[in-house]
Amino acid sequence: DEALRLSDLSAHLGISKSTTHGLIRALVAAGALNQHPQDKKITLGPATVELALKNQIYLQLGARSQPRLDELRNQINETVFFGLLRPWRTLILATAEANNPIKISSPPGSTILLLVGALGKLFLSQMDDTEVRRIIKTHGLPQYTKASIIDEEIFLKEIADVRQSGYALDKGEYLSGINAIAVGLGDHFGLQLALWVVGFAESLDSEKIDKVIEPIKATAVKLRKTLKTS
């Protein structure tokens, strides 16, 4: 239930700290453990979720969120997603597709790259700028489209805006002609959850984005309350 330090795990396992450190590094790389970038404390990672979508607890997360996703979809008529943020991919747990013949679609169980677009900004906004710079140095800022942000200082400004506003935007930065809005839902069973809306730029344009931000944030508040009771 609580995060542990390397020394705690070493003592519990009865093996040396150096051996424990090597195991932790391997398991963090595999997503089986998470290690906080500042205090280095260790928690269980979400990799097993991808192997265990049939596990009842994760099915329940998707099922409990579905009515809220449907409600938001009916309100804004754009595709709504609910999922798990993990290094370095996002796992979709539930979705409510827009009521349009041509729409954004991706089923539960699908994964998408995390360090791009709105979800990447949302994920990185939970870290300080030193850690964000380290990640940028390691992974770079790829130019997926003409709108992709490849300047480090501009990108850091975007991250600061996310911390202040509580939501992240992607205006064609990952896929041309596709816009997205993402809001964090906090921790649940030690998992970082998020709600995001994706649509074609012709429909989800700047004017509509301004109109749907508040409904999305309101749904996030309802979802947090719903998940707390699960």
Side-chain angles (χ1 to χ4, degrees):
D1 293 333
E2 297 181 2
L4 297 176
R5 297 185 184 278
L6 184 151
S7 56
D8 299 325
L9 282 173
S10 175
H12 282 309
L13 295 169
I15 58 178
S16 70
K17 289 184 179 179
S18 60
T19 300
T20 305
H21 181 260
L23 290 170
I24 289 170
R25 287 186 62 184
L27 291 169
V28 167
L33 293 178
N34 286 331
Q35 188 165 32
H36 194 278
Q38 274 77 49
D39 61 20
K40 303 301 181 183
K41 286 187 176 181
I42 300 148
T43 56
L44 288 176
T48 49
V49 180
E50 293 183 38
L51 300 175
L53 265 179
K54 292 182 179 179
N55 184 299
Q56 191 62 28
I57 191 169
Y58 296 108
L59 287 174
Q60 286 179 357
L61 282 176
R64 291 183 70 87
S65 69
Q66 193 66 55
R68 298 301 186 189
L69 270 60
D70 292 342
E71 181 182 272
L72 179 60
R73 183 269 318 279
N74 293 340
Q75 188 175 0
I76 66 175
N77 197 25
E78 301 290 350
T79 298
V80 183
F81 293 98
F82 165 76
L84 166 66
L85 305 181
R86 55 154 299 186
W88 300 105
R89 302 189 76 83
T90 299
L91 175 66
I92 297 171
L93 296 176
T95 181
E97 296 182 356
N99 296 311
N100 297 320
I102 301 176
K103 58 198 170 189
I104 306 297
S105 178
S106 193
S110 302
T111 61
I112 54 178
L113 288 174
L114 177 58
L115 289 183
V116 293
L119 290 170
K121 294 175 190 176
L122 187 67
F123 181 71
L124 294 174
S125 71
Q126 301 167 37
M127 307 174 187
D128 60 32
D129 281 353
T130 300
E131 180 65 11
V132 175
R133 287 183 187 276
R134 185 193 68 77
I135 290 172
I136 291 173
K137 184 177 181 181
T138 302
H139 297 274
L141 290 171
Q143 185 162 12
Y144 291 98
T145 72
K146 291 181 179 179
S148 297
I149 301 173
I150 58 175
D151 182 282
E152 183 174 317
E153 297 307 318
I154 295 176
F155 189 78
L156 287 170
K157 174 63 168 57
E158 289 276 316
I159 298 300
D161 289 344
V162 175
R163 295 187 187 113
Q164 184 174 4
S165 67
Y167 63 86
L169 295 178
D170 170 6
K171 294 185 177 181
E173 297 163 31
Y174 179 38
L175 296 170
S176 293
I178 305 293
N179 293 340
I181 310 156
V183 177
L185 299 171
D187 283 356
H188 190 72
F189 294 121
L191 306 176
Q192 283 290 329
L193 301 174
L195 169 75
W196 66 102
V197 171
V198 184
F200 293 106
E202 290 83 354
S203 170
L204 191 60
D205 56 14
S206 295
E207 183 178 352
K208 186 171 183 180
I209 286 173
D210 290 340
K211 292 179 180 179
V212 302
I213 285 172
E214 288 309 315
I216 293 170
K217 291 171 75 173
T219 299
V221 171
K222 294 176 184 177
L223 258 179
R224 292 186 193 105
K225 292 179 181 178
T226 298
L227 296 174
K228 276 184 180 179
T229 64
S230 62

